[in-house]
Amino acid sequence: HSLILLEIYVSKGTRDDLVVNRLVATLTGAAMAVLLSSIPPYVRGNDPKWIRNAIRACQRALAIILRNLLDDSKRREIVENQLEYRQSLVGPPFQALRSAMFLVKDSTKLTFLHWLKPDPRLSKFGDDAAVGISLLGYVIDLLFEVEESGYDLTALSDPDSGIDIPQKARNLIAFSAETLEGYDKWQGGEYDKRHLMADELVNEFLTLVASVDGEKKSQELERIAVFLSACRILGRHLHTSIVRLDNLSAQDD
């Protein structure tokens, strides 16, 4: 309305002519915007890939945590820079989820148009990603406890058991990190098999820890057991969430 009034004073023609010109210009601009938005690349709030990006960022952060646990040279850096370390790991998935949920919320503004109505399950998947980020923060807290204890994997040995506990712990950590890093490498059933194998390795390790005599069971061993259990819970949660999102993407296609 203000633009029309302005044009009355600066343009030629009657008031009705200017009103018609302004309406035609506005409708043409809106039509062009709709047309251009349908040409790839485009951003759709109804696309599950934005939430998927947040979950993948969580998986990469968890893989970094596990790799750092095997790298003694990282211990001092982690202990002395806990805030920066936490932000470097939690920040990317948090920002990715924040952007994804903004797009989801924005896509609900025209729900009265059926073909623009977003999938109602996206909000639930967003909640799953938020839970994953919260669990990631908990895992980082456990990592700080493990690193501050100055643990040494070789100190986890129990000579009476006849089993190389430190090596089993290293194998479990390395296998879990490799599985998280290789999501795009192992697709479908192969990736599911690797997650089942990781579950078996964790259960085997926890059974081994439980079998160690109470007097010989060190705090370091118990911390490692709790930490690896939390990592496995988070890894399984992220895996389940991303599989469900991929299934949703397949349905949309």
Side-chain angles (χ1 to χ4, degrees):
H1 181 71
S2 298
L3 288 174
I4 295 174
L5 289 176
L6 222 94
E7 286 197 21
I8 292 176
Y9 292 99
V10 299
S11 302
K12 295 181 180 180
T14 65
R15 183 183 61 180
D16 292 341
D17 291 336
L18 296 176
V19 171
V20 171
N21 288 340
R22 176 50 53 189
L23 288 175
V24 171
T26 300
L27 292 174
T28 303
M32 288 296 295
V34 171
L35 176 63
L36 291 175
S37 66
S38 64
I39 301 175
Y42 47 77
V43 176
R44 291 188 299 116
N46 199 36
D47 194 335
K49 75 176 182 180
W50 307 115
I51 298 177
R52 186 182 187 277
N53 288 344
I55 297 175
R56 284 292 293 129
C58 265
Q59 288 181 318
R60 288 190 291 270
L62 182 56
I64 291 173
I65 290 172
L66 292 169
R67 292 293 186 192
N68 289 342
L69 188 65
L70 293 175
D71 188 352
D72 291 337
S73 65
K74 289 282 188 181
R75 180 175 303 163
R76 184 172 181 179
E77 177 185 345
I78 293 173
V79 172
E80 293 181 353
N81 302 283
Q82 293 187 9
L83 180 60
E84 292 81 358
Y85 185 80
R86 178 188 296 277
Q87 290 176 340
S88 69
L89 294 176
V90 176
F94 176 79
Q95 291 299 331
L97 179 60
R98 185 178 180 181
S99 298
M101 297 315 295
F102 170 80
L103 292 173
V104 171
K105 183 178 179 180
D106 187 64
S107 66
T108 62
K109 292 182 177 179
L110 296 177
T111 52
F112 60 88
L113 299 175
H114 180 71
W115 62 90
L116 295 178
K117 187 176 182 180
D119 194 311
R121 291 173 293 181
L122 284 177
S123 294
K124 175 62 170 65
F125 291 134
D127 293 340
D128 290 342
V131 170
I133 295 174
S134 179
L135 286 173
L136 179 64
Y138 175 64
V139 167
I140 293 174
D141 288 336
L142 293 177
L143 175 68
F144 291 156
E145 292 181 8
V146 171
E147 296 289 12
E148 288 173 349
S149 69
Y151 81 99
D152 180 359
L153 282 177
T154 58
L156 304 180
S157 298
D158 177 24
D160 295 338
S161 70
I163 300 175
D164 190 347
I165 297 179
Q167 189 57 47
K168 281 191 171 293
R170 290 190 187 93
N171 291 343
L172 168 57
I173 294 168
F175 182 84
S176 298
E178 182 182 356
T179 301
L180 289 163
E181 293 165 345
Y183 181 82
D184 297 322
K185 177 181 178 182
W186 297 293
Q187 293 295 329
E190 181 62 27
Y191 193 70
D192 290 336
K193 290 179 183 178
R194 292 187 66 87
H195 264 280
L196 290 175
M197 290 174 64
D199 287 340
E200 292 174 1
L201 287 173
V202 170
N203 292 335
E204 181 183 340
F205 182 75
L206 295 179
T207 301
L208 180 60
V209 171
S211 67
V212 176
D213 188 276
E215 296 180 357
K216 298 177 181 178
K217 191 180 298 182
S218 65
Q219 289 186 348
E220 287 80 6
L221 182 56
E222 292 180 345
R223 285 195 185 100
I224 290 290
V226 171
F227 170 78
L228 293 178
S229 298
C231 287
R232 190 63 228 135
I233 292 171
L234 174 56
R236 172 55 63 184
H237 173 77
L238 296 175
H239 172 60
T240 302
S241 298
I242 207 166
V243 167
R244 291 168 59 197
L245 272 172
D246 287 344
N247 291 338
L248 179 61
S249 298
Q251 293 173 10
D252 290 343
D253 295 340

